[in-house]
Amino acid sequence: ARSVSSSQKLSRLYQAVAERLAKSIAAGDFKPGDRLPAERDLAEQFDVSRTTVREAIIALEIQGMVEVRIGSGVYVSEARA
């Protein structure tokens, strides 16, 4: 059996975190304009590294679900498709 590389594990992990955050947003846990918890808090909540949380947030930003404001935080996008 082939072992899974750590980069493959990380990519699946960040995708799982991104999906959970996306579901929370879709469910209305976070409303448009709401600020998401800090990376550190999300990392603790999902029991992953801050790097994994950062990757998940980048994925959500690419999808247009969140907006990263430098020095301010991550916010749920106002207009979601």
Side-chain angles (χ1 to χ4, degrees), residues 14-56:
Y14 93 75
Q15 286 167 344
V17 171
E19 282 172 23
R20 285 172 66 185
L21 282 170
K23 282 180 185 165
S24 289
I25 291 167
D29 297 340
F30 299 107
K31 303 197 176 359
D34 281 358
R35 186 172 181 262
L36 293 185
E39 272 179 15
R40 177 177 52 249
D41 297 333
L42 289 171
E44 283 178 18
Q45 182 182 332
F46 293 116
D47 195 27
V48 295
S49 70
R50 287 176 68 176
T51 301
T52 300
V53 169
R54 210 169 292 128
E55 292 287 329

Side-chain angles (χ1 to χ4, degrees), residues 53-69:
V53 169
R54 210 169 292 128
E55 292 287 329
I57 287 170
I58 289 168
L60 293 177
E61 186 180 24
I62 289 167
Q63 293 170 31
M65 293 191 80
V66 300
E67 180 183 322
V68 177
R69 300 180 195 160

